[in-house]
Amino acid sequence: MKRIAESELILNSRGAIYHIDLRPEELADTVITVGDPDRVALVSSYFDTIEVKRQHREFVSHTGTYKGKRLTVISTGIGPDNIDIVFNELDALVNIDFETRTVNEQLKALKIIRMGTCGSLQGDIAVDEFIAGSHSIGLDNLLNFYRLENNDEEVSLLQQFITQTQLNNSITNPYISAASVGLLKHFVDGYNTGITITCPGFYGPQGRVLRLGLRQPDLIDSLTNFSHGAHRIVNFEMETSAIYGLGKLLGHQCLSLNAVVANRVTKTFSKDGGKAVVNLIERSLEIIKDIH
Ligand code: R1P
Ligand code: URA
């Protein structure tokens, strides 16, 4: 077995992995990711007990139990680049032996569920509603650094996306990956579903104009109008493509749940996005506790 060098697998003086500062025994098999570091304490406020609390940079993590189910909730901060860090380090915690610095023969699959916020791209999915992303198309570049392979359905969706939106140019080289079907099937009542677009920014990359002109001024319309069979694009945010792509490559089951705080078609913003997030957390924890 090849030994992974100190410069590649970086451990701190606690024997914890570098950015997220967790040791293997401090991580639960079911992980909730949130963008906002303050949302970690919000999620863990529903826990029966909290056994571990760590923080390094924007990566806050609490491990405890919710109605008896052991969970870790961790903040990723904003963006796919942070997901690269969090996912590689979560995977290392369960699939690399920190003593020998070798990959375990028996690999473990985590269940990883994002609870985030997003913008709706459909007029009929209003602010404060929830979305579970069936697939994610990344307009960011992260998975282009890895060897992501697609099944026939994904290839066909991506080809149609490029044809209909013409988004495969000097701005972006889109990629696609899917949610875990085994997780998605639990989130039906109260969750809209469809394709989530992940953008490498909140303003220009999501078609927002404050003072700067855009190279892709028809971005929102082209995403809203996309359709392929029963598939349509429902929302965008800034992490899901990286979560689905890396989750698939590393062998973890992933799902991204988001509360809609902005609707970009009706041009409305939630009057109480905080409450929408609380509602998403409460409903989703009740489902997660029963998933084995
Ligand atoms: C932008 O405001 C942030 O909010 C969304 C986006 O994906 C981005 O991270 O998610 P979170 O609320 O989980 O951070
Ligand atoms: N998060 C995003 O990335 N975009 C939105 O419009 C709202 C939340």
Side-chain angles (χ1 to χ4, degrees), residues 114 117-120 199 201-202 206 208 236-239 259-264 269:
R114 164 175 155 80
T117 61
C118 70
S120 169
C199 304
F202 185 83
Q206 291 185 16
R208 287 188 168 90
F236 55 22
E237 45 72 271
M238 297 179 61
E239 290 82 20
V260 175
V261 293
N263 185 303
R264 300 300 301 288
F269 197 81

Side-chain angles (χ1 to χ4, degrees), residues 14-28:
R14 260 182 11 98
I17 194 147
Y18 182 45
H19 294 93
I20 66 175
D21 190 21
L22 284 174
R23 292 197 300 238
E25 72 275 13
E26 295 170 338
L27 182 72

Side-chain angles (χ1 to χ4, degrees), residues 28-201:
D29 293 351
T30 300
V31 180
I32 294 166
T33 70
V34 297
D36 180 357
D38 287 342
R39 205 177 296 149
V40 172
L42 178 61
V43 173
S44 71
S45 70
Y46 293 93
F47 287 6
D48 325 313
T49 54
I50 301 175
E51 70 191 75
V52 177
K53 282 189 179 185
R54 305 298 312 166
Q55 169 157 24
H56 181 223
R57 298 182 181 235
E58 60 265 64
F59 310 111
V60 177
S61 54
H62 293 176
T63 295
T65 59
Y66 174 76
K67 298 191 179 172
K69 184 168 183 82
R70 191 165 184 249
L71 300 174
T72 293
V73 53
I74 184 168
S75 56
T76 62
I78 290 180
D81 47 348
N82 277 5
I83 298 298
D84 185 57
I85 289 173
V86 171
F87 269 56
N88 276 290
E89 294 193 2
L90 287 176
D91 179 73
L93 287 170
V94 292
N95 287 323
I96 296 176
D97 183 326
F98 284 8
E99 293 295 319
T100 61
R101 295 180 162 272
T102 57
V103 176
N104 297 338
E105 276 183 22
Q106 202 68 34
L107 294 178
K108 185 167 185 171
L110 295 166
K111 291 185 174 62
I112 306 177
I113 298 165
R114 164 175 155 80
M115 294 185 193
T117 61
C118 70
S120 169
L121 288 163
Q122 296 296 337
D124 61 297
I125 303 181
V127 292
D128 303 334
E129 291 190 33
F130 308 148
I131 294 176
S134 63
H135 299 75
S136 183
I137 295 176
L139 305 185
D140 62 294
N141 206 27
L142 182 68
L143 264 290
N144 294 328
F145 284 84
Y146 295 93
R147 296 197 191 113
L148 184 64
E149 287 178 7
N150 289 131
N151 63 27
D152 290 349
E153 184 200 42
E154 291 163 355
V155 168
S156 154
L157 265 174
L158 189 58
Q159 276 172 353
Q160 276 300 317
F161 177 79
I162 288 166
T163 304
Q164 292 182 34
T165 63
Q166 292 294 298
L167 277 167
N168 189 10
N169 46 33
S170 61
I171 305 175
T172 179
N173 177 13
Y175 63 88
I176 190 167
S177 196
S180 154
V181 177
L183 286 181
L184 183 62
K185 71 177 185 202
H186 295 280
F187 296 83
V188 178
D189 282 352
Y191 299 82
N192 299 279
T193 191
I195 301 170
T196 296
I197 298 290
T198 293
C199 304

